[in-house]
Amino acid sequence: MKIETKCLHAGYTPKNTEPRVVPIVQSTTYVYDSTDDVAAVFDDPTKSLIYSRFENPTVMAVEDKIAALEGGIGAMCTSSGQAASLLSLLNILKAGDSFISAATIYGGTVNLFAFTLKKLGIECIFVDADASEDEIQAAFKPNTKAVFGETLANPALSVFDIEKFAKIAHKNGVPLIIDNTFPTPILCRPFEFGADIVIHSTTKYMDGHAVQGGGVIVDSGNFDWTSGKFPEFTEPDESYHGTIYTKAYGKAAYIIKARMQLMRDFGCYPSAQSAFYLNLGLETLPIRMKQYCENAKIVSEFLESNENVESVNYPGLKSNKYNELAQKYLPLGCSGVISFVIKGGRSAAVKFMDSLSLASNEVHVADIRTCVLHPASATHRQLTDEQLVACGIEGGMIRLSVGLENVEDILDDLKKGFAALK
Ligand SMILES: Cc1ncc(COP(=O)(O)O)c(C=O)c1O
């Protein structure tokens, strides 16, 4: 991004200097030389910028960076991960359509799919991600237009078989959308396994410092929208002077349609300031992801060998049900998120957690600081112990998001928690 400066320093006028960091373009609007120039941008919005409700140079610099990290053709940031999930689907589906989703996904996304999208006339068919190809195939209906799953599910920590689902989705002529929040493109690049669209809650590892919420949608550019199943891509858009997205934008049809139709109308676009913070997080993402994985591996092995622990759920452990899939999709590591069940149930878990001092008690995950959550007291508080067991959450379960502190300090803190149980 070039900037022209008019300030004089002892007779020296620097021109077209390039700032070392992405500048914050804190402006709602852009100025044109002529009315014709404005008209030309409205005819083809990719020629320049229109309005910060759906495009801004700072945000777009970050979008390009995330698209490159994922190996996609383009990206669009959103004001939250929820907005990214919502728009990724609304760009394909309308009332009367259905889509298939893995049942093991983030609870907020389950709510969005099962209740809010239902109110808009869109049906979500939940499937067991570990089911056979035939069982998943049986869930498809003639109006099914997409498939959705999470690479590494929050909080189940199951590993999603991207290739299996990409094969089934493509056999049915529909795209596969992957929520790649926990691995980030540093640990897994779903397009390399056949996914078509990737979304993220950038609130988590990408931001990494718990300073601002955000989301992003990335388009691989690989899905063919011209099969006849997706008329919104191949017929004139009456809301945008008759644009035919596949004709006008080819491989970028999906991501440009998302911006020009949905972001224009819903406006859930991040501010330049938010994108600036996100960019700072991205600059250290590879090194942070490596360290989260190293710390979490040591912590998961420590927990597994502790006599007070009933079970540990971390796909990086050899004993884990998803270890084989983890080796395929997450060879560099399985992020910093672990869950484990403490012996003694709910009261032991609470006692353990309240004795920690380095790990803070938070609803957030995927932060540089270690944090813990007791799902039975927080996100699943309204459920009885029997209901908790039915949805796979035990009273003694603790979700631990391992941070970047010295791993010995993290282990010492956990030892303090175990000592309190004696
Ligand atoms: C895997 C996953 N996807 C999406 C979301 C929603 O993101 P946000 O909280 O940024 O709206 C979350 C939030 O925890 C998440 O964990």
Side-chain angles (χ1 to χ4, degrees):
M1 192 186 304
K2 302 269 184 196
I3 49 169
E4 208 168 302
T5 169
K6 293 194 173 68
C7 64
L8 284 173
H9 296 291
Y12 171 62
T13 309
K15 283 227 165 189
N16 285 330
T17 47
E18 200 158 346
R20 187 66 190 89
V21 293
V22 174
I24 302 170
V25 182
Q26 196 69 44
S27 178
T28 58
T29 194
Y30 312 96
V31 178
Y32 309 90
D33 286 342
S34 70
T35 312
D36 278 351
D37 282 356
V38 182
V41 182
F42 273 83
D43 279 346
D44 182 353
T46 61
K47 289 269 184 293
S48 185
L49 300 173
I50 297 180
Y51 189 49
S52 282
R53 192 197 315 129
F54 48 87
E55 50 193 355
N56 169 281
T58 309
V59 186
M60 290 166 111
V62 177
E63 288 167 348
D64 287 349
K65 189 177 272 191
I66 297 175
L69 282 168
E70 283 288 6
I73 195 170
M76 180 178 77
C77 283
T78 56
S79 53
S80 69
Q82 285 295 92
S85 303
L86 174 67
L87 297 197
S88 73
L89 286 158
L90 288 187
N91 204 28
I92 303 170
L93 298 136
K94 59 181 185 324
D97 288 338
S98 71
F99 68 105
I100 287 174
S101 172
T104 38
I105 52 172
Y106 164 61
T109 314
V110 172
N111 205 73
L112 168 67
F113 290 0
F115 300 105
T116 304
L117 285 183
K118 191 174 172 188
K119 284 189 223 156
L120 300 180
I122 295 171
E123 183 196 9
C124 177
I125 304 158
F126 288 102
V127 296
D128 174 358
D130 298 334
S132 70
E133 289 185 24
D134 287 346
E135 285 167 317
I136 296 162
Q137 178 59 49
F140 277 83
K141 293 181 178 179
N143 69 356
T144 300
K145 298 274 177 69
V147 177
F148 188 99
E150 260 173 44
T151 321
L152 189 52
N154 176 16
L157 300 176
S158 48
V159 180
F160 187 75
D161 193 342
I162 301 172
E163 265 181 358
K164 175 176 85 174
F165 275 87
K167 190 172 140 207
I168 304 170
H170 295 159
K171 199 169 90 187
N172 289 276
V174 305
L176 173 63
I177 305 173
I178 292 291
D179 181 336
N180 197 33
T181 295
F182 274 7
T184 80
I186 305 304
L187 302 182
C188 178
R189 303 210 320 162
F191 296 152
E192 291 170 4
F193 299 101
D196 303 290
I197 311 293
V198 159
I199 69 117
H200 289 271
S201 163
T202 60
T203 317
K204 308 295 173 327
Y205 286 121
M206 281 193 172
D207 165 79
H209 300 72
V211 289
Q212 46 84 45
V216 69
I217 304 174
V218 191
D219 183 2
S220 68
N222 293 335
F223 190 76
D224 178 11
W225 302 100
T226 62
S227 64
K229 220 178 166 92
F230 305 96
E232 277 207 40
F233 287 79
T234 53
E235 290 174 12
D237 175 4
E238 60 176 342
S239 82
Y240 212 88
H241 47 71
T243 297
I244 297 175
Y245 291 98
T246 46
K247 218 175 190 174
Y249 303 113
K251 279 178 161 294
Y254 174 90
I255 202 69
I256 290 180
K257 177 175 169 299
R259 190 184 300 274
M260 297 324 299
Q261 271 183 349
L262 298 179
M263 195 54 89
R264 175 200 62 189
D265 286 359
F266 292 135
C268 44
Y269 201 58
S271 68
Q273 187 82 41
S274 293
F276 177 80
Y277 289 132
L278 175 55
N279 186 54
L280 291 184
L282 292 174
E283 288 187 351
T284 57
L285 187 65
I287 199 86
R288 284 189 290 110
M289 291 314 294
K290 182 169 174 275
Q291 195 60 44
Y292 288 122
C293 293
E294 269 177 33
N295 281 3
K297 183 172 181 296
I298 295 168
V299 170
S300 63
E301 285 165 359
F302 164 78
L303 290 170
E304 198 171 44
S305 66
N306 192 290
E307 57 183 12
N308 298 292
V309 173
E310 209 165 274
S311 61
V312 184
N313 189 13
Y314 186 65
L317 286 170
K318 288 265 173 290
S319 57
N320 189 274
K321 174 178 171 192
Y322 294 101
N323 188 251
E324 207 173 304
L325 283 178
Q327 285 181 35
K328 173 173 175 178
Y329 293 112
L330 302 155
L332 302 178
C334 296
S335 87
V337 187
I338 299 171
S339 70
F340 63 102
V341 178
I342 239 169
K343 286 181 186 161
R346 187 188 285 256
S347 61
V350 169
K351 204 167 178 188
F352 174 89
M353 286 185 49
D354 288 347
S355 313
L356 303 177
S357 52
L358 179 140
S360 52
N361 213 321
E362 287 176 29
V363 178
H364 192 49
V365 274
D367 185 5
I368 51 165
R369 292 153 287 244
T370 296
C371 53
V372 280
L373 176 81
H374 183 226
S377 303
T379 44
H380 297 71
R381 181 169 183 71
Q382 70 283 12
L383 306 187
T384 63
D385 279 2
E386 292 72 36
Q387 286 172 320
L388 285 173
V389 171
C391 64
I393 290 167
E394 297 177 46
M397 183 188 276
I398 293 170
R399 186 180 71 187
L400 170 65
S401 177
V402 177
L404 298 186
E405 301 91 345
N406 185 311
V407 73
E408 290 303 326
D409 291 342
I410 300 172
L411 295 179
D412 282 348
D413 200 38
L414 297 174
K415 284 176 196 163
K416 225 182 319 167
F418 288 124
L421 299 178
K422 299 243 159 76

